[in-house]
């Protein structure tokens, strides 16, 4: 029934479909029964649902929108915490004037606050395009996950008619991290007391947005680490890019025996004043035996409660240390002067927690460690999409930094990746493949499988290949489509290499109605690269690959 409704009006939203199907259903157990727990809204009435579905008429359509975040970092993308304005362009594609068009911005997502959601576009002449600068003002939540696609709706109203136009707002941001073993001594394996050396600090951008104008400063609370050159300029860091810069340090000659590390803080500031604070330890060589008073902690225990690991221990005998250093799976976690520490938001997996005592004379005790484990309870939501000609693109939620996943095809492991998408290539045409995803927690413990998604590979229809010609290919911006059967054309989609639809031509206007018929498609706004042109005809689908120079 939903498919029939969408064939009558392809612009119906899921909310529209739900409302029509429920309100036209036959009530049960009797026609006067209200919605109830036994029968829900009742039995679907297909004819009533189709009759209530309005025929889709193309009149006011969305030409596009631009994000203006001049009050933020002014990069044209929406970042967490930013307030931005949306400049919107609408077009009247009908041959009749349309008057008093009002546009409303709507979303059910709690991640967006609508500061100004109404815009007046006024009157449209036939085939007129209008743009309203800064039509809407919205604010994105500080907690919006990077990469999240927030579904919103632009609703145009005129003459008692409503036209809903879905859009997506993508959350962009950068995330600066220290790379693994990101503090290194170049050309040397170690440095000791009394020595001076450059230190390379590697910073990496793990987000989906460019970090610009980055400057980093190194500080320490240790009296044994002297930082001679503390500031370095990193400039731009693109997503997944990393850079190193040199800092110069000296290990104090009077560093006590047994002291072999110093805490460091790397404070990274971008050109807009946003800061990221990274904490780590700089390790160096120091010969000699620790003094007898450098005793380890006692009775370390770890209790897992929900998603928290609660560590408790007893102070060393022979005198309290200056502080304790806490580690998880060989990575520094925190420092504390208490004899307890709580690690929050742990996911499933195997964990090794260790604590060592750091004394005021620089002595560091032996590690005391406890092993533990927690089931991997991440729930994966999987979606799949076919890409011409024999590829299937998978994407999934949630978006968690550093999350690694196993990809299964027909119950066989085919990939282990970090991220939230995967494209399965070189598949056989006209075959059905089924996929599931599992998350990998610490210790490579797998979560429960995601929902199963089964999809058939897409193949071109040979009988239609000679009906359509597309040229020039490659093109610098404009494509000509030529056909001997113009009335059979129904629409065109332009897909990028990831299978994402980047442009749609729903109404085809011929340059010439003589045979053969030609019309043009403007793709000058697309970036250079390879694209797939998917042409829907009344007899099937044709897919062609084109190159945008």
């Amino acid at each position: 029934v939903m498919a029939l409704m969408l064939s009558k009006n392809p612009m119906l939203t899921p909310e529209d479909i739900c409302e029509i199907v429920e309100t036209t259903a036959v009530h049960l157990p009797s026609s006067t029964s209200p919605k109830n727990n036994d029968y829900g809204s009742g039995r679907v009435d297909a004819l009533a649902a189709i009759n209530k579905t309005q025929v889709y008429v193309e009149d006011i359509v969305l030409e596009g929108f631009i994000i203006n975040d001049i009050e933020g970092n002014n990069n044209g993308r929406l970042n967490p915490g930013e307030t931005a304005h949306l400049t919107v362009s609408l077009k009247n594609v009908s041959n009749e004037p349309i008057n008093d068009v009002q546009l409303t911005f709507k979303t059910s997502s709690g991640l967006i606050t609508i500061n100004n959601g109404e815009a007046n576009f006024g009157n449209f002449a036939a085939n007129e395009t209008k743009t309203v600068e800064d039509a809407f003002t919205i604010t994105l939540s500080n907690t919006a996950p990077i990469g999240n696609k927030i579904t919103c709706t632009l609703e145009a109203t005129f003459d008692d008619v409503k036209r809903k136009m879905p859009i997506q707002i993508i959350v962009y941001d950068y995330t600066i991290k220290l790379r693994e073993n990101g503090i290194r001594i170049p050309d040397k394996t170690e440095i000791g007391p009394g020595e001076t050396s450059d230190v390379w600090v590697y910073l990496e951008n793990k987000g989906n947005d460019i970090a610009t104008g980055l400057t980093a400063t190194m500080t320490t609370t240790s009296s044994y680490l002297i930082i001679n050159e503390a500031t370095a300029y990193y400039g731009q860091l693109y997503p997944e890019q990393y850079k190193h810069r040199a800092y110069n340090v000296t290990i104090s000659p009077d560093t006590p025996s047994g002291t072999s590390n110093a805490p460091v803080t790397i404070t990274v500031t971008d050109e807009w004043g946003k800061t990221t604070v990274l904490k780590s330890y700089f390790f160096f060589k120091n010969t000699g035996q620790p003094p007898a008073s450098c005793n380890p902690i006692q009775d370390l225990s770890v209790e897992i409660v929900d998603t928290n690991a609660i560590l408790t221990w007893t102070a060393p005998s022979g005198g309290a240390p200056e502080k304790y250093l806490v580690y998880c799976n060989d990575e520094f976690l925190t420092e504390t002067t208490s004899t307890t520490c709580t690690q929050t938001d742990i996911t499933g997996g195997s964990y090794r927690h260790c604590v060592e005592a750091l004394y005021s004379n620089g002595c560091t005790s032996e590690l005391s460690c406890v092993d533990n484990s927690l089931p991997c309870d991440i729930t994966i939501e999987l979606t799949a999409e076919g890409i011409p000609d024999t590829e299937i693109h998978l994407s999934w939620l949630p978006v968690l930094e550093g999350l690694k996943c196993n990809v299964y095809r027909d119950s066989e492991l085919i990939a282990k990746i970090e991220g939230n998408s995967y494209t399965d290539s070189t598949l056989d045409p006209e075959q059905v493949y089924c996929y599931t995803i599992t998350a990998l927690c610490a210790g490579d413990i797998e979560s429960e499988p995601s929902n199963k998604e089964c999809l058939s590979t897409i193949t071109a229809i040979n009988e239609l290949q000679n009906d359509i010609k597309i040229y020039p290919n490659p093109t610098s911006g404009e494509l000509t489509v030529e056909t001997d059967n113009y009335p059979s054309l129904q629409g065109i989609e332009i897909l990028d290499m990831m299978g994402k639809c980047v442009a749609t031509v729903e109404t085809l206007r011929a340059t010439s109605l003589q045979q053969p018929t030609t019309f043009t498609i403007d793709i000058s706004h697309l970036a250079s690269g390879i694209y797939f042109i998917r042409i829907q005809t009344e007899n099937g689908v044709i897919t062609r690959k084109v190159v945008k120079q």
Side-chain angles (χ1 to χ4, degrees):
V1 173
M2 294 180 185
L4 287 171
M5 294 166 63
L6 286 167
S7 68
K8 187 175 181 182
N9 185 347
M11 296 305 291
L12 290 176
T13 66
E15 293 80 9
D16 295 332
I17 295 172
C18 183
E19 178 184 359
I20 293 173
V21 170
E22 289 201 30
T23 56
T24 58
V26 177
H27 293 261
L28 294 175
S30 70
S31 60
T32 59
S33 299
K35 186 174 181 178
N36 57 78
N37 290 334
D38 292 326
Y39 298 96
S41 292
R43 188 186 71 242
V44 169
D45 187 328
L47 180 59
I50 300 305
N51 286 340
K52 191 171 181 179
T53 301
Q54 294 182 349
V55 175
Y56 174 63
V57 177
E58 196 171 46
D59 36 43
I60 294 296
V61 298
L62 176 66
E63 286 283 277
F65 70 94
I66 299 173
I67 293 175
N68 173 12
D69 60 334
I70 192 170
E71 297 169 15
N73 59 16
N74 200 28
N75 66 354
R77 295 181 289 273
L78 197 55
N79 304 118
E82 269 193 331
T83 294
H85 309 286
L86 269 63
T87 294
V88 180
S89 296
L90 299 180
K91 183 174 183 179
N92 175 15
V93 297
S94 73
N95 294 321
E96 300 294 333
I98 298 176
N99 297 324
D100 192 22
V101 177
Q102 306 293 322
L103 193 64
T104 304
F105 182 96
K106 295 182 176 182
T107 182
S108 59
S109 172
L111 296 176
I112 286 182
T113 300
I114 303 174
N115 306 316
N116 172 30
E118 303 289 337
N120 180 12
F121 276 73
N123 302 331
F124 283 76
N127 298 303
E128 181 183 5
T129 299
K130 277 191 173 184
T131 299
V132 174
E133 300 284 343
D134 299 342
F136 307 114
T137 304
I138 61 175
T139 299
L140 183 62
S141 168
N142 283 307
T143 61
I146 296 176
N148 197 12
K149 298 178 180 179
I150 305 173
T151 300
C152 307
T153 301
L154 299 180
E155 184 176 275
T157 57
F158 51 93
D159 298 332
D160 297 326
V161 175
K162 290 185 178 180
R163 294 286 181 254
K164 295 180 180 180
M165 296 163 279
I167 63 172
Q168 280 190 333
I169 303 292
I170 301 176
V171 179
Y172 287 92
D173 202 5
Y174 67 80
T175 301
I176 303 300
K177 297 286 187 181
L178 275 172
R179 279 182 64 83
E180 186 176 358
N181 300 319
I183 301 179
R184 309 176 192 174
I185 304 172
D187 303 324
K188 295 180 68 175
T189 58
E190 53 195 26
I191 180 177
E195 294 183 306
T196 296
S197 174
D198 280 343
V199 176
W200 286 356
V201 176
Y202 287 76
L203 299 183
E204 183 174 19
N205 183 0
K206 299 297 290 182
N208 64 352
D209 204 358
I210 304 172
T212 58
L214 297 182
T215 301
T217 302
M218 177 189 290
T219 58
T220 182
T221 57
S222 171
S223 59
Y224 305 118
L225 177 64
I226 303 166
I227 303 176
N228 305 311
E229 296 175 8
T231 301
Y233 180 71
Y234 287 77
Q236 290 193 145
L237 272 182
Y238 291 87
E240 301 302 326
Q241 183 187 15
Y242 65 88
K243 292 180 181 178
H244 75 272
R245 293 292 183 263
Y247 303 75
N248 189 266
V249 302
T250 299
I251 307 301
S252 174
D254 60 354
T255 301
S257 297
T259 300
S260 59
N261 63 70
V264 292
T265 299
I266 309 295
T267 303
V268 186
T269 306
D270 69 12
E271 62 182 331
W272 305 99
K274 176 183 174 181
T275 61
T276 302
V277 178
L278 308 172
K279 291 184 178 295
S280 186
Y281 271 79
F282 174 64
F283 293 89
F284 53 90
K285 180 184 178 182
N286 195 350
T287 58
Q289 298 298 319
S293 61
C294 190
N295 295 320
I297 68 164
Q298 304 178 68
D299 306 321
L300 174 64
S301 64
V302 181
E303 181 182 9
I304 305 293
V305 180
D306 296 328
T307 58
N308 300 324
I310 304 172
L311 288 70
T312 56
W313 59 88
T314 303
S317 60
E322 180 182 12
K323 63 181 72 173
Y324 302 98
L325 307 182
V326 184
Y327 301 86
C328 178
N329 292 343
D330 299 325
E331 292 188 2
F332 175 73
L333 185 62
T334 188
E335 61 181 41
T336 179
T337 57
S338 172
T339 56
T340 183
C341 174
T342 299
Q343 182 185 9
T344 61
D345 299 326
I346 64 172
T347 58
S350 299
Y351 291 89
R352 181 176 180 82
H353 288 95
C354 299
V355 181
E356 60 185 352
L358 181 64
Y359 290 82
S360 57
N361 62 2
C363 169
T364 305
S365 73
E366 294 182 357
L367 288 171
S368 296
C369 300
V370 170
D371 294 320
N372 234 314
S373 64
L374 182 69
C376 189
D377 58 354
I378 298 175
T379 301
I380 301 293
E381 299 176 15
L382 172 65
T383 57
E385 180 182 12
I387 307 175
D389 284 326
T390 53
E391 296 183 354
I392 291 177
H393 179 66
L394 309 174
S395 59
W396 55 89
L397 295 174
V399 178
L400 297 175
E401 183 180 337
L403 179 67
K404 294 182 179 179
C405 295
N406 281 339
V407 180
Y408 290 89
R409 180 182 65 214
D410 298 331
S411 302
E412 261 188 50
L413 178 64
I414 60 172
K416 178 179 179 180
I417 63 170
E418 180 177 335
N420 286 79
S421 64
Y422 177 76
T423 299
D424 195 8
S425 305
T426 64
L427 300 173
D428 293 330
E430 298 181 348
Q431 296 292 320
V432 176
Y433 296 92
C434 293
Y435 298 87
T436 56
I437 307 293
T438 61
L440 292 176
C441 297
D444 281 352
I445 294 178
E446 286 189 279
S447 69
E448 289 296 318
S450 68
N451 53 298
K452 181 184 288 187
E453 288 289 329
C454 297
L455 204 63
S456 173
T457 47
I458 303 171
T459 57
I461 301 175
N462 294 330
E463 303 86 74
L464 303 176
Q465 294 303 312
N466 295 327
D467 288 354
I468 304 289
K469 295 182 177 63
I470 300 178
Y471 54 88
N473 188 12
T475 178
S476 60
E478 194 171 83
L479 288 171
T480 297
V481 178
E482 180 180 302
T483 177
D484 291 326
N485 191 11
Y486 171 64
S488 74
L489 298 186
Q490 297 175 344
I492 293 178
E493 288 182 333
I494 302 174
L495 311 178
D496 64 15
M497 285 292 289
M498 298 302 291
K500 177 184 176 183
C501 180
V502 295
T504 301
V505 183
E506 296 178 345
T507 301
L508 304 176
R509 296 178 177 83
T511 304
S512 169
L513 293 179
Q514 299 176 355
Q515 298 294 341
T517 303
T518 61
F519 56 91
T520 59
I521 303 173
D522 183 11
I523 63 171
S524 59
H525 62 288
L526 299 179
S528 299
I530 297 175
Y531 294 86
F532 297 98
I533 310 298
R534 181 186 292 169
I535 304 176
Q536 178 71 48
T537 77
E538 62 184 10
N539 297 318
V541 176
I542 296 172
T543 301
R544 296 286 176 79
K545 183 187 292 184
V546 299
V547 177
K548 167 67 166 54
Q549 293 178 328

